Amino acid sequence: MGELTAALRKHSRKVTGPRQAILEVLRRHQHPLANREIHRALGPENCDLATVYRNLHTLEGMGLVRRYDFGDGTARFELVPEGEEGHHHHLICQQCALIVEVEECFPEELEQALARRHGFTGITHRLEFFGLCPRCAAARPTPAD
Amino acid sequence: MGELTAALRKHSRKVTGPRQAILEVLRRHQHPLANREIHRALGPENCDLATVYRNLHTLEGMGLVRRYDFGDGTARFELVPEGEEGHHHHLICQQCALIVEVEECFPEELEQALARRHGFTGITHRLEFFGLCPRCAAARPTPAD
DNA sequence: ATCGCTGCAAAAATTTTGCAGGTAA
DNA sequence: TTACCTGCAAAATTTTTGCAGCGAT
Protein backbone atom coordinates (compact mmCIF):
# COMPACT_ATOMS: atom_id res chain seq x y z
CA MET A 1 0.00 0.00 0.00
CA GLY A 2 2.72 2.44 0.97
CA GLU A 3 4.59 1.01 -1.98
CA LEU A 4 2.03 2.44 -4.36
CA THR A 5 1.93 5.81 -2.65
CA ALA A 6 5.71 6.09 -2.68
CA ALA A 7 5.99 5.12 -6.32
CA LEU A 8 3.28 7.54 -7.34
CA ARG A 9 4.75 10.37 -5.35
CA LYS A 10 8.14 9.78 -6.91
CA HIS A 11 6.59 10.43 -10.31
CA SER A 12 4.45 13.34 -9.17
CA ARG A 13 1.36 11.28 -9.63
CA LYS A 14 -1.69 11.28 -7.43
CA VAL A 15 -3.26 8.57 -5.35
CA THR A 16 -6.77 8.42 -6.70
CA GLY A 17 -9.70 6.11 -6.24
CA PRO A 18 -9.58 4.47 -9.67
CA ARG A 19 -5.85 3.99 -9.31
CA GLN A 20 -6.17 2.15 -6.02
CA ALA A 21 -9.11 0.14 -7.27
CA ILE A 22 -7.21 -1.02 -10.33
CA LEU A 23 -4.23 -2.09 -8.26
CA GLU A 24 -6.64 -3.85 -5.92
CA VAL A 25 -8.10 -5.84 -8.80
CA LEU A 26 -4.65 -6.78 -10.04
CA ARG A 27 -3.70 -7.80 -6.53
CA ARG A 28 -6.66 -10.13 -6.32
CA HIS A 29 -5.90 -11.85 -9.60
CA GLN A 30 -2.50 -13.38 -10.07
CA HIS A 31 -2.94 -13.70 -13.83
CA PRO A 32 -2.51 -11.16 -16.58
CA LEU A 33 -5.77 -9.30 -17.14
CA ALA A 34 -6.99 -7.44 -20.20
CA ASN A 35 -8.10 -3.83 -19.86
CA ARG A 36 -11.66 -4.86 -20.47
CA GLU A 37 -11.54 -7.53 -17.77
CA ILE A 38 -10.18 -5.05 -15.27
CA HIS A 39 -12.85 -2.58 -16.28
CA ARG A 40 -15.54 -5.17 -15.78
CA ALA A 41 -14.10 -6.25 -12.43
CA LEU A 42 -14.17 -2.66 -11.26
CA GLY A 43 -17.77 -2.31 -12.25
CA PRO A 44 -18.17 -0.32 -15.48
CA GLU A 45 -19.98 2.47 -13.66
CA ASN A 46 -17.17 2.94 -11.15
CA CYS A 47 -14.39 3.71 -13.58
CA ASP A 48 -14.21 4.66 -17.22
CA LEU A 49 -12.50 2.29 -19.62
CA ALA A 50 -10.31 5.11 -20.88
CA THR A 51 -9.14 5.66 -17.33
CA VAL A 52 -8.21 2.01 -17.07
CA TYR A 53 -6.13 2.30 -20.21
CA ARG A 54 -4.46 5.50 -19.06
CA ASN A 55 -3.66 4.12 -15.64
CA LEU A 56 -2.24 0.86 -16.85
CA HIS A 57 -0.01 2.79 -19.18
CA THR A 58 1.10 4.98 -16.30
CA LEU A 59 1.61 2.10 -13.91
CA GLU A 60 3.55 0.21 -16.54
CA GLY A 61 5.81 3.19 -17.00
CA MET A 62 6.45 3.27 -13.26
CA GLY A 63 7.25 -0.42 -13.22
CA LEU A 64 4.40 -1.38 -10.92
CA VAL A 65 2.69 -3.37 -13.61
CA ARG A 66 3.96 -5.52 -16.44
CA ARG A 67 2.46 -5.90 -19.87
CA TYR A 68 2.08 -9.25 -21.62
CA ASP A 69 1.05 -10.16 -25.13
CA PHE A 70 -0.32 -13.60 -25.76
CA GLY A 71 -0.74 -12.99 -29.43
CA ASP A 72 -4.51 -12.64 -29.52
CA GLY A 73 -4.54 -8.94 -30.14
CA THR A 74 -5.26 -7.77 -26.60
CA ALA A 75 -2.67 -6.61 -24.11
CA ARG A 76 -2.78 -8.02 -20.60
CA PHE A 77 -1.36 -6.64 -17.39
CA GLU A 78 -0.09 -8.19 -14.23
CA LEU A 79 1.02 -6.69 -10.95
CA VAL A 80 4.76 -6.76 -10.33
CA PRO A 81 5.25 -8.21 -6.84
CA GLU A 82 6.58 -5.67 -4.33
CA GLY A 83 10.31 -5.46 -4.12
CA GLU A 84 10.80 -8.17 -6.69
CA GLU A 85 11.92 -7.75 -10.21
CA GLY A 86 8.96 -9.89 -11.16
CA HIS A 87 10.34 -11.28 -14.38
CA HIS A 88 8.60 -14.51 -15.29
CA HIS A 89 6.73 -16.17 -18.10
CA HIS A 90 3.50 -18.03 -18.76
CA LEU A 91 2.22 -21.31 -20.03
CA ILE A 92 -1.12 -20.88 -21.74
CA CYS A 93 -3.59 -23.60 -22.67
CA GLN A 94 -4.67 -23.01 -26.25
CA GLN A 95 -7.99 -24.69 -25.56
CA CYS A 96 -9.30 -23.17 -22.34
CA ALA A 97 -6.92 -20.22 -21.92
CA LEU A 98 -5.71 -21.47 -18.56
CA ILE A 99 -2.62 -19.51 -17.58
CA VAL A 100 0.15 -21.00 -15.48
CA GLU A 101 3.01 -18.90 -14.24
CA VAL A 102 6.36 -20.52 -14.92
CA GLU A 103 9.77 -19.70 -13.57
CA GLU A 104 11.78 -21.15 -16.41
CA CYS A 105 13.60 -18.41 -18.24
CA PHE A 106 15.80 -18.08 -21.27
CA PRO A 107 19.36 -18.84 -20.12
CA GLU A 108 21.16 -15.64 -19.19
CA GLU A 109 24.46 -16.62 -20.79
CA LEU A 110 22.81 -17.53 -24.07
CA GLU A 111 21.06 -14.20 -24.12
CA GLN A 112 24.27 -12.35 -23.40
CA ALA A 113 26.09 -14.26 -26.12
CA LEU A 114 23.33 -13.41 -28.54
CA ALA A 115 23.44 -9.73 -27.61
CA ARG A 116 27.21 -9.63 -27.95
CA ARG A 117 27.20 -11.34 -31.31
CA HIS A 118 24.81 -8.77 -32.75
CA GLY A 119 26.21 -5.82 -30.83
CA PHE A 120 22.94 -5.17 -29.06
CA THR A 121 22.75 -3.66 -25.59
CA GLY A 122 20.06 -3.50 -22.93
CA ILE A 123 18.67 -6.80 -24.07
CA THR A 124 15.45 -8.29 -22.75
CA HIS A 125 13.03 -10.87 -24.03
CA ARG A 126 9.41 -11.83 -24.25
CA LEU A 127 8.71 -15.55 -23.84
CA GLU A 128 5.43 -17.41 -23.55
CA PHE A 129 4.63 -21.09 -23.84
CA PHE A 130 1.53 -22.57 -25.43
CA GLY A 131 0.08 -26.04 -25.30
CA LEU A 132 -2.79 -28.21 -24.18
CA CYS A 133 -3.44 -28.48 -20.44
CA PRO A 134 -4.11 -31.85 -18.76
CA ARG A 135 -7.84 -31.24 -18.40
CA CYS A 136 -8.34 -30.33 -22.02
CA ALA A 137 -6.13 -33.19 -23.15
CA ALA A 138 -8.30 -35.57 -21.13
CA ALA A 139 -11.47 -34.10 -22.55
CA ARG A 140 -10.17 -34.45 -26.07
CA PRO A 141 -7.88 -37.48 -26.21
CA THR A 142 -5.98 -37.98 -29.45
CA PRO A 143 -7.62 -35.26 -31.59
CA ALA A 144 -8.23 -37.69 -34.45
CA ASP A 145 -5.51 -36.24 -36.64
CA MET B 1 6.16 -22.04 -56.86
CA GLY B 2 4.87 -25.58 -57.23
CA GLU B 3 5.06 -25.67 -53.47
CA LEU B 4 2.35 -23.05 -53.21
CA THR B 5 0.17 -24.70 -55.82
CA ALA B 6 0.44 -28.07 -54.13
CA ALA B 7 -0.32 -26.69 -50.69
CA LEU B 8 -3.29 -24.75 -51.96
CA ARG B 9 -4.69 -27.67 -53.88
CA LYS B 10 -4.37 -29.88 -50.84
CA HIS B 11 -6.69 -27.53 -49.00
CA SER B 12 -9.04 -27.03 -51.93
CA ARG B 13 -7.89 -23.48 -52.28
CA LYS B 14 -7.35 -21.61 -55.50
CA VAL B 15 -4.22 -20.12 -56.97
CA THR B 16 -5.19 -16.50 -57.46
CA GLY B 17 -3.35 -13.35 -58.40
CA PRO B 18 -3.46 -11.66 -55.00
CA ARG B 19 -2.36 -14.89 -53.37
CA GLN B 20 0.71 -15.20 -55.55
CA ALA B 21 1.48 -11.52 -55.21
CA ILE B 22 1.36 -11.69 -51.43
CA LEU B 23 3.68 -14.68 -51.36
CA GLU B 24 5.96 -12.82 -53.75
CA VAL B 25 6.16 -9.85 -51.41
CA LEU B 26 6.90 -12.11 -48.47
CA ARG B 27 9.54 -13.85 -50.52
CA ARG B 28 11.28 -10.57 -51.26
CA HIS B 29 11.35 -9.50 -47.62
CA GLN B 30 12.98 -11.78 -45.11
CA HIS B 31 11.47 -9.94 -42.19
CA PRO B 32 8.04 -10.16 -40.64
CA LEU B 33 5.67 -7.73 -42.35
CA ALA B 34 2.46 -6.20 -41.08
CA ASN B 35 -0.72 -6.55 -43.12
CA ARG B 36 -0.61 -2.89 -43.92
CA GLU B 37 2.98 -3.07 -45.12
CA ILE B 38 2.18 -5.98 -47.39
CA HIS B 39 -0.83 -4.11 -48.69
CA ARG B 40 1.27 -1.06 -49.44
CA ALA B 41 3.97 -3.16 -51.09
CA LEU B 42 1.36 -4.73 -53.36
CA GLY B 43 0.09 -1.34 -54.34
CA PRO B 44 -3.20 -0.50 -52.63
CA GLU B 45 -5.06 -0.50 -55.93
CA ASN B 46 -3.92 -4.00 -56.81
CA CYS B 47 -5.31 -5.82 -53.81
CA ASP B 48 -7.77 -4.98 -51.09
CA LEU B 49 -6.57 -4.82 -47.52
CA ALA B 50 -9.30 -7.22 -46.45
CA THR B 51 -7.98 -9.70 -48.98
CA VAL B 52 -4.53 -9.39 -47.46
CA TYR B 53 -5.94 -10.17 -44.05
CA ARG B 54 -7.95 -13.10 -45.34
CA ASN B 55 -5.06 -14.58 -47.25
CA LEU B 56 -2.57 -14.30 -44.46
CA HIS B 57 -5.01 -16.05 -42.21
CA THR B 58 -5.45 -18.78 -44.78
CA LEU B 59 -1.75 -19.13 -45.49
CA GLU B 60 -1.01 -19.26 -41.79
CA GLY B 61 -3.51 -22.06 -41.41
CA MET B 62 -1.78 -23.98 -44.18
CA GLY B 63 1.58 -23.48 -42.56
CA LEU B 64 3.07 -21.49 -45.43
CA VAL B 65 3.34 -18.38 -43.34
CA ARG B 66 4.09 -17.77 -39.69
CA ARG B 67 2.65 -15.10 -37.46
CA TYR B 68 4.71 -13.01 -35.07
CA ASP B 69 3.73 -10.57 -32.39
CA PHE B 70 6.23 -7.97 -31.31
CA GLY B 71 3.94 -6.51 -28.72
CA ASP B 72 3.03 -3.31 -30.52
CA GLY B 73 -0.50 -4.33 -31.33
CA THR B 74 0.01 -5.33 -34.95
CA ALA B 75 0.54 -8.86 -36.16
CA ARG B 76 3.38 -9.54 -38.58
CA PHE B 77 3.87 -12.39 -41.00
CA GLU B 78 6.87 -14.12 -42.44
CA LEU B 79 7.24 -16.77 -45.11
CA VAL B 80 8.12 -20.24 -43.87
CA PRO B 81 11.05 -21.43 -45.99
CA GLU B 82 10.17 -24.32 -48.30
CA GLY B 83 10.68 -27.73 -46.81
CA GLU B 84 11.96 -26.32 -43.54
CA GLU B 85 10.15 -26.19 -40.29
CA GLY B 86 11.15 -22.55 -40.17
CA HIS B 87 11.07 -22.12 -36.43
CA HIS B 88 13.20 -19.19 -35.36
CA HIS B 89 13.05 -15.99 -33.37
CA HIS B 90 13.87 -12.30 -33.69
CA LEU B 91 15.96 -9.62 -32.10
CA ILE B 92 14.28 -6.25 -32.42
CA CYS B 93 15.82 -2.82 -31.87
CA GLN B 94 13.47 -0.84 -29.68
CA GLN B 95 14.74 2.40 -31.19
CA CYS B 96 14.72 1.88 -34.96
CA ALA B 97 12.71 -1.35 -35.22
CA LEU B 98 15.56 -3.16 -36.94
CA ILE B 99 14.78 -6.87 -36.98
CA VAL B 100 17.47 -9.53 -36.88
CA GLU B 101 16.66 -13.16 -37.28
CA VAL B 102 18.28 -15.30 -34.60
CA GLU B 103 18.71 -19.03 -34.41
CA GLU B 104 18.95 -19.28 -30.64
CA CYS B 105 15.98 -21.13 -29.28
CA PHE B 106 14.63 -22.11 -25.92
CA PRO B 107 16.38 -25.36 -24.94
CA GLU B 108 14.29 -28.35 -25.97
CA GLU B 109 14.90 -30.33 -22.79
CA LEU B 110 13.93 -27.41 -20.58
CA GLU B 111 10.72 -27.01 -22.53
CA GLN B 112 9.94 -30.70 -22.25
CA ALA B 113 10.62 -30.68 -18.53
CA LEU B 114 8.32 -27.70 -18.16
CA ALA B 115 5.57 -29.39 -20.15
CA ARG B 116 5.91 -32.57 -18.14
CA ARG B 117 5.83 -30.80 -14.82
CA HIS B 118 2.57 -29.08 -15.68
CA GLY B 119 1.11 -31.99 -17.60
CA PHE B 120 0.86 -29.99 -20.81
CA THR B 121 1.13 -31.56 -24.23
CA GLY B 122 1.80 -30.22 -27.70
CA ILE B 123 3.95 -27.47 -26.27
CA THR B 124 5.36 -24.62 -28.32
CA HIS B 125 6.65 -21.17 -27.49
CA ARG B 126 6.82 -17.62 -28.66
CA LEU B 127 10.12 -15.90 -28.01
CA GLU B 128 11.40 -12.51 -29.10
CA PHE B 129 14.35 -10.44 -27.96
CA PHE B 130 14.43 -6.68 -27.60
CA GLY B 131 17.29 -4.27 -27.17
CA LEU B 132 19.25 -1.41 -28.65
CA CYS B 133 21.12 -2.06 -31.89
CA PRO B 134 24.73 -0.91 -32.38
CA ARG B 135 23.81 2.00 -34.63
CA CYS B 136 21.23 3.39 -32.25
CA ALA B 137 23.54 2.85 -29.30
CA ALA B 138 26.22 4.86 -31.10
CA ALA B 139 23.77 7.61 -31.95
CA ARG B 140 22.61 7.85 -28.38
CA PRO B 141 25.53 6.99 -26.10
CA THR B 142 24.65 6.62 -22.41
CA PRO B 143 21.05 7.89 -22.44
CA ALA B 144 21.69 10.26 -19.51
CA ASP B 145 19.69 8.25 -17.02
C1' DA C 1 -21.20 -25.07 -63.48
C1' DT C 2 -19.42 -25.13 -59.02
C1' DC C 3 -17.29 -23.19 -55.18
C1' DG C 4 -13.96 -20.23 -53.69
C1' DC C 5 -12.16 -15.56 -53.95
C1' DT C 6 -12.14 -10.50 -54.47
C1' DG C 7 -13.45 -5.72 -53.91
C1' DC C 8 -16.19 -2.61 -51.59
C1' DA C 9 -18.39 -1.14 -47.62
C1' DA C 10 -19.80 -1.55 -43.06
C1' DA C 11 -19.06 -3.31 -38.57
C1' DA C 12 -16.22 -4.88 -34.48
C1' DA C 13 -12.80 -4.56 -31.30
C1' DT C 14 -8.93 -2.37 -29.17
C1' DT C 15 -6.60 1.72 -27.92
C1' DT C 16 -5.87 6.78 -28.00
C1' DT C 17 -7.07 11.62 -27.56
C1' DG C 18 -9.62 16.28 -26.57
C1' DC C 19 -11.94 18.75 -23.38
C1' DA C 20 -14.39 20.62 -19.37
C1' DG C 21 -14.92 19.93 -14.76
C1' DG C 22 -13.32 17.75 -10.37
C1' DT C 23 -9.85 16.61 -6.93
C1' DA C 24 -5.40 15.38 -4.62
C1' DA C 25 -1.40 17.83 -2.88
C1' DT D 1 -4.09 27.19 -6.12
C1' DT D 2 -1.87 24.19 -9.20
C1' DA D 3 -1.32 20.18 -11.46
C1' DC D 4 -3.00 16.01 -12.28
C1' DC D 5 -7.15 12.98 -13.13
C1' DT D 6 -11.59 11.53 -14.48
C1' DG D 7 -15.69 10.86 -17.29
C1' DC D 8 -17.68 11.44 -21.57
C1' DA D 9 -17.41 11.52 -26.34
C1' DA D 10 -15.07 11.22 -30.54
C1' DA D 11 -11.38 9.45 -33.23
C1' DA D 12 -7.74 6.36 -34.75
C1' DT D 13 -6.12 1.59 -35.48
C1' DT D 14 -6.32 -3.02 -36.39
C1' DT D 15 -9.13 -6.80 -37.79
C1' DT D 16 -13.46 -9.07 -39.20
C1' DT D 17 -17.66 -9.75 -41.84
C1' DG D 18 -21.63 -9.42 -45.46
C1' DC D 19 -22.61 -9.40 -50.03
C1' DA D 20 -22.78 -9.36 -55.01
C1' DG D 21 -20.04 -10.46 -58.81
C1' DC D 22 -15.84 -12.53 -60.81
C1' DG D 23 -12.76 -16.29 -61.61
C1' DA D 24 -10.22 -20.66 -60.92
C1' DT D 25 -10.94 -25.57 -61.41
Side-chain angles (χ1 to χ4, degrees):
Chain A
M1 175 49 87
E3 200 87 357
L4 166 62
T5 305
L8 287 173
R9 187 165 298 158
K10 186 167 70 168
H11 293 260
S12 328
R13 289 283 146 75
K14 296 175 181 174
V15 180
T16 66
R19 216 100 96 174
Q20 296 178 81
I22 290 171
L23 265 294
E24 182 56 34
V25 167
L26 291 175
R27 215 172 271 129
R28 276 204 300 274
H29 300 71
Q30 60 273 59
H31 290 336
L33 294 176
N35 283 287
R36 189 148 41 97
E37 299 174 307
I38 296 171
H39 181 234
R40 194 162 49 75
L42 289 170
E45 58 281 344
N46 294 324
C47 176
D48 194 80
L49 180 56
T51 297
V52 176
Y53 273 95
R54 279 188 282 229
N55 277 320
L56 286 172
H57 191 260
T58 297
L59 294 171
E60 184 193 9
M62 305 192 322
L64 291 180
V65 146
R66 183 151 299 150
R67 179 198 193 105
Y68 291 98
D69 281 277
F70 292 164
D72 66 343
T74 55
R76 288 182 173 74
F77 298 85
E78 194 179 60
L79 191 62
V80 173
E82 306 215 351
E84 289 186 41
E85 193 233 319
H87 181 83
H88 63 262
H89 303 289
H90 301 91
L91 170 56
I92 300 115
C93 175
Q94 289 172 317
Q95 187 77 26
C96 69
L98 168 73
I99 300 175
V100 181
E101 189 173 303
V102 302
E103 59 285 354
E104 268 87 355
C105 192
F106 192 79
E108 178 71 16
E109 69 262 25
L110 274 185
E111 180 168 86
Q112 287 309 319
L114 187 159
R116 212 157 26 238
R117 173 143 33 82
H118 295 284
F120 271 59
T121 50
I123 201 164
T124 60
H125 62 257
R126 187 192 304 287
L127 168 64
E128 309 300 342
F129 298 92
F130 300 88
L132 199 61
C133 78
R135 280 194 47 165
C136 290
R140 180 161 66 83
T142 317
D145 197 44
Chain B
M1 173 51 90
E3 200 88 355
L4 167 62
T5 305
L8 287 173
R9 186 165 298 157
K10 187 168 69 168
H11 293 260
S12 328
R13 289 285 148 74
K14 296 173 180 175
V15 180
T16 66
R19 215 98 97 173
Q20 298 178 79
I22 289 171
L23 265 294
E24 183 55 35
V25 167
L26 291 174
R27 215 172 272 129
R28 277 204 300 273
H29 300 70
Q30 60 273 59
H31 290 335
L33 294 176
N35 284 287
R36 189 145 44 95
E37 299 175 308
I38 296 172
H39 181 233
R40 193 161 50 74
L42 289 169
E45 59 280 343
N46 295 324
C47 176
D48 193 81
L49 180 56
T51 297
V52 177
Y53 272 95
R54 279 188 284 230
N55 276 321
L56 286 171
H57 191 260
T58 297
L59 294 171
E60 184 193 8
M62 305 192 322
L64 291 180
V65 146
R66 183 151 297 149
R67 180 198 192 106
Y68 291 98
D69 280 279
F70 293 163
D72 66 343
T74 55
R76 288 181 172 73
F77 298 85
E78 194 179 61
L79 191 62
V80 173
E82 306 215 350
E84 290 186 41
E85 192 232 319
H87 180 82
H88 64 261
H89 303 289
H90 301 91
L91 171 55
I92 300 115
C93 176
Q94 289 173 316
Q95 186 77 26
C96 67
L98 167 74
I99 300 175
V100 181
E101 190 173 302
V102 302
E103 60 284 355
E104 269 87 354
C105 192
F106 191 79
E108 178 72 17
E109 69 262 23
L110 274 185
E111 181 168 84
Q112 287 309 319
L114 186 159
R116 211 155 30 235
R117 174 142 33 81
H118 296 284
F120 272 59
T121 50
I123 201 164
T124 60
H125 61 257
R126 188 193 303 287
L127 168 64
E128 308 301 341
F129 298 92
F130 300 88
L132 198 61
C133 78
R135 280 193 48 164
C136 289
R140 180 161 67 81
T142 317
D145 197 47

